[in-house]
Amino acid sequence: MMHHRDGTKLAWAACLLAGVAVAAEPPAGSLNADSAGGIEVGANRLRLTVDSKLRLIKSQLTQSPAVQRILQSDHAQAKQKLADAQAVHERAEVELKEGRQEAAIKLLDAALRDIVAASNLVPDMANLAARERRQNAELREAIRTFQSLHKGLSSRMATIKRHAPGIGTEVARIDEMMERADTLIATGDQHQANVLLNAAYAIVVPTLNRMLSAETIVYELKFESVAQEYAHELARNRSFEELIPIALTRLGTSSEAAALADRYVSQSRDLRELARQQTDKADYRAALKTIQSATAHLERALRIAGLVVPQSTEIAP
């Protein structure tokens, strides 16, 4: 899971620093490229950086909604950090007047860090509530997908007269936590629901890994017909495909890895269509090998997403 408070802090700091970078850029044509003016160019650039940071920090301390929120709160630690930032800002002005520009920059950076830290201690409750509502919707969707996958697995195992893997305790616990979270959301307590849903999802991931491992047991069993085995593999293929977008989103997969996973999904769909055409001709053995190859692509996609999926054993020709 993402650490949303850390993400908010970094995003806000990055936004502020981006403003510094833009403001600190000297006007076009103001710098000379000749060596004689090199020292002056460096000094001008440093002065522009210091001036920009001074304006930024002063603006944050006097006009920022986050700072106003802190001043109106009862949070002593946040107010202390804000006072520290003010004091550091004043020291930076002294350093600048005495010509110590690099020392002034270090102090201004420290003041900015104090402001960011203080703002995170007194978050914008409206934004926080909206963020928790979005997270809760995403988590509920992910957990309901897991519940659907577990039901599908249990049904497929029952069809071949086998029991689903021994994860009943975890599944029951997740179900109970979901019910409690739904009740909290219905009463307007998004925050406690968020805490509960995150805890439930923390159980989902290892339980999914156990479920996916258990699926491979089926290949060591005897089906009554090749057509029945094909039907089992087709259902497994579809359940894996349903899981992939949830896994990619919730497990923080990189964009490059997600793109590769998407290619595997596309290849699986092509093979699944080929398998369907083979079943139209009643060639279930060929269709079984094709859909099994399709599922192997999805297994690779799930491993990329961060789920432990043992490679299936292909059927004998």
Side-chain angles (χ1 to χ4, degrees), residues 15-316:
C15 181
L16 293 179
L17 292 174
V20 172
V22 172
E25 189 67 29
S30 65
L31 304 180
N32 295 321
D34 60 272
S35 58
I39 295 176
E40 183 178 354
V41 166
N44 288 341
R45 185 180 293 273
L46 186 60
R47 180 70 194 204
L48 283 169
T49 299
V50 177
D51 288 345
S52 296
K53 291 195 176 191
L54 275 171
R55 289 194 300 271
L56 172 67
I57 302 301
K58 184 175 181 180
S59 174
Q60 290 299 314
L61 289 171
T62 58
Q63 301 175 22
S64 166
V67 168
Q68 298 305 313
R69 190 169 63 245
I70 293 167
L71 294 174
Q72 294 169 10
S73 75
D74 297 325
H75 203 298
Q77 185 181 358
K79 289 185 175 182
Q80 183 58 56
K81 284 189 174 294
L82 200 58
D84 291 344
Q86 180 67 55
V88 172
H89 175 260
E90 292 171 358
R91 286 169 50 200
E93 289 183 318
V94 172
E95 293 290 342
L96 182 59
K97 288 177 182 178
E98 295 181 358
R100 293 187 288 270
Q101 294 177 328
E102 292 184 358
I105 289 176
K106 291 180 179 179
L107 288 169
L108 292 169
D109 287 341
L112 179 58
R113 286 193 295 271
D114 281 338
I115 295 172
V116 171
S119 71
N120 280 285
L121 291 172
V122 186
D124 185 326
M125 298 310 295
N127 287 341
L128 179 61
R131 186 166 65 247
E132 286 181 338
R133 281 194 297 272
R134 289 194 300 271
Q135 290 174 11
N136 288 345
E138 293 172 359
L139 286 164
R140 290 168 82 193
E141 178 186 0
I143 295 171
R144 292 194 192 286
T145 298
F146 161 78
Q147 291 171 321
S148 176
L149 291 171
H150 177 255
K151 288 179 181 178
L153 172 62
S154 298
S155 176
R156 292 194 298 278
M157 297 294 277
T159 299
I160 56 175
K161 299 179 175 61
R162 304 288 290 194
H163 293 295
I167 56 175
T169 301
E170 290 93 335
V171 173
R173 185 181 174 194
I174 292 167
D175 291 347
E176 188 270 337
M177 294 171 81
M178 275 287 284
E179 290 179 4
R180 286 166 52 199
D182 287 345
T183 299
L184 287 167
I185 290 172
T187 59
D189 194 345
Q190 294 283 345
H191 177 69
Q192 287 303 317
N194 187 257
V195 172
L196 195 58
L197 288 170
N198 274 291
Y201 192 79
I203 305 171
V204 163
V205 173
T207 306
L208 265 176
N209 284 331
R210 292 178 60 190
M211 282 174 53
L212 294 174
S213 297
E215 285 270 29
T216 61
I217 296 172
V218 174
Y219 290 97
E220 300 174 2
L221 304 176
K222 297 296 182 182
F223 291 85
E224 293 180 1
S225 68
V226 177
Q228 185 188 68
E229 189 170 0
Y230 169 80
H232 168 88
E233 185 60 44
L234 178 61
R236 181 169 180 259
N237 179 278
R238 286 173 173 162
S239 69
F240 277 15
E241 185 171 324
E242 289 176 4
L243 175 60
I244 287 169
I246 299 295
L248 291 173
T249 300
R250 303 304 308 179
L251 298 181
T253 310
S254 69
S255 58
E256 294 82 2
L260 178 57
D262 286 341
R263 287 198 292 274
Y264 283 136
V265 171
S266 178
Q267 291 168 352
S268 173
R269 289 172 179 168
D270 291 342
L271 288 169
R272 190 167 65 205
E273 173 58 22
L274 175 59
R276 186 196 64 76
Q277 295 171 12
Q278 291 167 332
T279 61
D280 287 344
K281 299 175 182 178
D283 191 353
Y284 282 97
R285 184 160 292 280
L288 177 58
K289 290 182 69 68
T290 301
I291 195 64
Q292 220 168 12
S293 296
T295 301
H297 285 302
L298 298 181
E299 289 172 343
R300 295 185 188 102
L302 287 168
R303 283 193 289 270
I304 288 171
L307 291 174
V308 180
V309 187
Q311 186 171 358
S312 302
T313 304
E314 292 187 0
I315 62 172

